[in-house]
Amino acid sequence: MAGKRHLGPDWRHNQQLAWLQARASAPPFKKDYVMNRFSRALVLLALPSLAWAQPFPLIDTHAHFESLPYKDFAASEKSALAAMAQWNIGMSLLMPPPRATLDPKTNYDIEELLPAIKANPGRLAALGGAGSLTIMLHNTSPEAVNDAVRQSFRQRAMEIIALGAVGFGEIPVQHLSLPNMGPRHAYENVPADHPLLMLLADIAAENDVPIDIHFDMVPNDMPLPPPLKSPPNPPKLQGNLPAFERLLAHNPKTRIVWAHVGFEPIRTRGPDIVRQLLTAHPNLYMSFRLGRTGPHPSMAMAADGKLKPEWMALLQAFPDRFMLGSDSFYAGAGVSRGATSEGMDNLRGLVDQLPPELGRQLARDNAIRVYRLKVTTGQ
Ligand SMILES: [Zn+2]
């Protein structure tokens, strides 16, 4: 084609003429074709953000099957899956509630959760120990812990791991009795540096699983705050934070998930002390329960459902340390206590207020990493 230049202006004119004629006679879609390609490119470009805009499923790291006044776990399973569908929860971690005394009728541990877990792989997983280890813990004084006690405690803990537990929980340290959780809601208390808790921390680290802990923190001795009742709670609460920090520091490999941040009746876990403890203890994690909102600093959300700036700052400062934990008690007729519809809405509301990446970490990625979860894609 090098010779074209010598073909003179007419040739170029004819070529152009031919092109124009061809253009004129070409089917009209060409322009549309271009527009079409352009809009398709636009859609392709927008797809990721569209996908990102899709509300992704949450992971609820703290829920229970209700056993009061009786157990019907097949019905609890149904209502759990129904609630998960309603609130777009992809996976729930179930655990026995914190027990210090054995009541054969209502007590349970991981064994009784296994049928539901096996029937819903990638959607339900279990923690164990709150119906067995905690009874040993709360009925053995620190001084009475000897090799025989350690051995039977370790044996039970290893049974729980062998049954497929993704962690130990819900382990009560100080667990205040709350009027709105029913007349049988117990007061339970052991020192956080109890030798059996230190042992559990080591067993959890050895098996690379976390411990979900219920800990009503008392920074300094204080009177029992209203509306809590005494009895069953003591009229005066003793400072218990130094012992908790000894437990956290005992084994840096132990991942400890401190449940119920963001709404706690004792109201001692405000943003300042949360920042202090997360800074001091890299193995400490927290899960949000947001059953109530309000002005008190320990409540992460204001009454209008807005996350308070000091809590937003905490989440931004520690993006890999927070998870969601509704504390739902699933019974045959739905959630019987622990979480409210408002509380479930607040969990999604919290996620939606965050920058997408941070929201995703809070709602699922941190849980997957901390609990080593195998989630089915899209869940
Ligand atoms: Zn709980």
Side-chain angles (χ1 to χ4, degrees), residues 62-64 95-98 170 181 212 214 259-260 289 327 329:
H62 189 110
H64 308 282
M95 62 195 81
E170 171 180 355
M181 290 290 269
D212 176 294
H214 180 115
H260 309 329
R289 175 182 67 182
D327 204 23
F329 281 73

Side-chain angles (χ1 to χ4, degrees), residues 223-234:
L224 184 72
L228 306 183
K229 299 269 180 294
S230 177
N233 301 304

Side-chain angles (χ1 to χ4, degrees), residues 43-65:
V43 168
L44 286 174
L45 274 173
L47 265 178
S49 55
L50 280 176
W52 196 242
Q54 286 310 311
F56 49 78
L58 311 177
I59 295 182
D60 182 357
T61 68
H62 189 110
H64 308 282
F65 279 179

